[in-house]
Amino acid sequence: MPAVVAFSVYAALAVLFDLILQLTWFSALLVLDAKRSQNARLDCVPCVKVKNPPMREKLNEETNIVRKIFERVYAPFVMHNIVRIFVIVIFALVFFASLNLTPTLPQGLQQQVAIPSDSYLQDYYDQEAALAKVGPPVYFVIPAGFNYSDRLHQNQICSLGRGPKSCSPDSLINSIAAAAIEPEYSYLAGSPSSWLDTFISWIRATDSCCLIDSNNNPCYPTSSTCFACLDPQDFDEFGRPPPEAFLKLLPIFLYQTNCTSNCPLCGTAFRSDVLLNKQPDGSYTINATRFMGYHTTLATQEDFINAFKSARQLTSHVNENFKIGTFPYSLFYIFFEQYLEIKEISYLCLGLAIAAVFIVTLILLGNLSVSLIIIGTVLMIEIDIIAIMKLWDVYLNAVSVVNLVMGIGISVEFCVHIANAFMASEGTRLERATNALVVMGSAVFKGITLTKFCGVIVLAFASSEIFKVYYFRMFFAIVVCAAAHGLLFLPVVLSFIGPRPRSEGRFFSFY
């Protein structure tokens, strides 16, 4: 998917430059700021030196309010035996409920979301969805290489006549007409217009339609110089014209005939449906053709996606029978083709992201079991986010897939610091989980949770609906789910099944 690829390249470069700046520019600024603090200089005006600076111990005590709350209130409460069991049960129930909602996540990108909320187009799209009674046109295209002048090939497309040697019941036009009988499944409204059927009928009407003068120009029955374009004996037993006459008369039918009361059959309406190539010798060949029909009224994203899938399935069935290479096309197909494989692409992208996170955490933390616990927690976060998307009317599309991939990276940030602090601590599992929650949990809350909340809340006031729906709602869900799992669920899990301290195990230890 190009959108995901473009985002991945951009994000990789951004992370690379961020790492370079942190190792160089940011580290240098930290050193300078530490020297400024040691010299008792003001942070905003470093050239001014304070004569009686406050004691560093007292300053640290005042700035560690969050840690004291974690140490005295939050960590003892979370690590209570009853609370730990309650946390496991609640998070498990939420996970299974979210897992049940995941397959029902709708796909698409509503047009109303892609424009500002105060745009006049909002009312237009709402009225169109409520009042429109005609669906968009759909074209069934046959590319170059098909022999239209041959009767057997004509039978694979046309709908004239019945019988073993006439138009096939499974021909393209007949298949479309048969599918249109059940519009609730095919999303097709009636039979398509067929230039081939009209052309053959026009040729057959030698007394009123297929008339030419001495200069091979079309004429009408009122003229005394008109005569039939073909003699009756020129037609075969099935009423089809000879191949040489087919390509000779087709340009006349398309470009030189007009509908009249005597002959309602004319090619004016089909001029854009047949692409002719004129050869140096003056003859014509058919490059490509199309047959136009209409979809039923399409009001929702699900309707558009199902209509596209139904048309693709129909042409696939025709191609299996006749190998004519036909394919459907409508103006909206280019926007909905992604949904043919959006789920598979989502699974692939999320799976690759999960695998990369697992490898990195395994190398950095040096323990297989804690890496598996982190990956399991991240998977739970992703499932919960998808469930929130379902409940909050966020559809699955290229934008949300990118955000879900980003959600894995953000979720890991909430979890890996707690896990690393747990591995570095000594004592029982419960003591180490409590210490990790106090030491690193408070830092994660201040440095990651609150800062991300501040950045996300701003998106709620955006004028564009796409920022509100696909960025505020999704990132808000990511931050809430990641914070809840990283600061509540993960420490509890580690207190039950966490691995031994790093000092007691091997670099790659299974326990």
Side-chain angles (χ1 to χ4, degrees), residues 362 366-370 423 499-501 505-511:
L362 181 62
N367 188 277
L368 179 60
S369 57
V370 75
M423 294 295 296
R500 293 178 180 177
R506 293 174 297 175
F507 183 70
F508 290 103
S509 61
F510 285 88
Y511 177 77

Side-chain angles (χ1 to χ4, degrees), residues 169-447:
D170 296 325
S171 68
L172 176 61
I173 303 301
N174 285 331
S175 296
I176 298 172
I181 296 175
E182 297 180 320
E184 64 275 12
Y185 300 107
S186 65
Y187 294 87
L188 293 173
S191 301
S193 59
S194 173
W195 68 266
L196 180 59
D197 290 341
T198 306
F199 176 55
I200 294 176
S201 300
W202 177 82
I203 294 178
R204 288 176 178 176
T206 55
D207 58 339
S208 59
C209 292
C210 191
L211 300 172
I212 57 176
D213 58 18
S214 57
N215 296 321
N216 287 331
N217 294 321
C219 61
Y220 305 97
T222 55
S223 176
S224 60
T225 59
C226 290
F227 55 91
C229 58
L230 290 177
D231 293 329
Q233 61 270 21
D234 292 334
F235 294 92
D236 62 15
E237 58 180 314
F238 305 101
R240 304 293 175 83
E244 61 275 8
F246 187 95
L247 292 176
K248 178 181 178 181
L249 295 174
L250 182 59
I252 298 176
F253 169 73
L254 293 175
Y255 301 110
Q256 300 182 36
T257 59
N258 294 311
C259 293
T260 65
S261 58
N262 294 321
C263 180
L265 303 172
C266 60
T268 305
F270 303 106
R271 290 176 181 174
S272 60
D273 293 339
V274 182
L275 182 60
L276 295 176
N277 285 339
K278 189 173 184 180
Q279 303 301 315
D281 59 357
S283 62
Y284 287 88
T285 59
I286 300 176
N287 190 18
T289 66
R290 68 183 185 184
F291 302 86
M292 186 181 76
Y294 283 90
H295 281 297
T296 55
T297 304
L298 307 177
T300 65
Q301 295 291 293
E302 184 180 6
D303 290 341
F304 282 98
I305 295 172
N306 290 337
F308 177 42
K309 290 182 178 180
S310 176
R312 288 282 297 265
Q313 291 173 357
L314 175 62
T315 54
S316 296
H317 175 72
V318 174
N319 289 329
E320 288 177 0
N321 292 331
F322 301 116
K323 305 294 188 297
I324 61 179
T326 182
F327 62 90
Y329 172 75
S330 188
L331 292 175
F332 69 89
Y333 284 1
I334 188 174
F335 304 105
F336 290 89
E337 189 170 3
Q338 60 177 302
Y339 301 109
L340 293 177
E341 300 177 349
I342 187 71
K343 289 186 177 181
E344 291 75 10
I345 293 175
S346 302
Y347 297 149
L348 177 61
C349 293
L350 295 177
L352 292 175
I354 290 291
V357 168
F358 173 72
I359 294 173
V360 172
T361 54
L362 181 62
I363 294 175
L364 296 180
L365 297 181
N367 188 277
L368 179 60
S369 57
V370 75
S371 298
L372 292 175
I373 291 174
I374 292 175
I375 293 302
T377 305
V378 172
L379 283 174
M380 292 179 65
I381 295 172
E382 287 293 300
I383 296 298
D384 291 348
I385 293 171
I386 295 175
I388 294 176
M389 290 171 60
K390 164 67 177 178
L391 298 175
W392 216 347
D393 293 330
V394 181
Y395 288 19
L396 181 66
N397 50 51
V399 178
S400 56
V401 169
V402 168
N403 290 340
L404 285 173
V405 174
M406 291 180 60
I408 293 178
I410 296 174
S411 301
V412 171
E413 193 174 5
F414 282 87
C415 299
V416 71
H417 298 293
I418 300 294
N420 184 58
F422 177 84
M423 294 295 296
S425 301
E426 301 289 341
T428 65
R429 288 191 178 114
L430 183 60
E431 293 173 347
R432 293 161 59 204
T434 303
N435 182 68
L437 191 57
V438 171
V439 175
M440 192 55 64
S442 58
V444 169
F445 181 79
K446 291 186 298 182

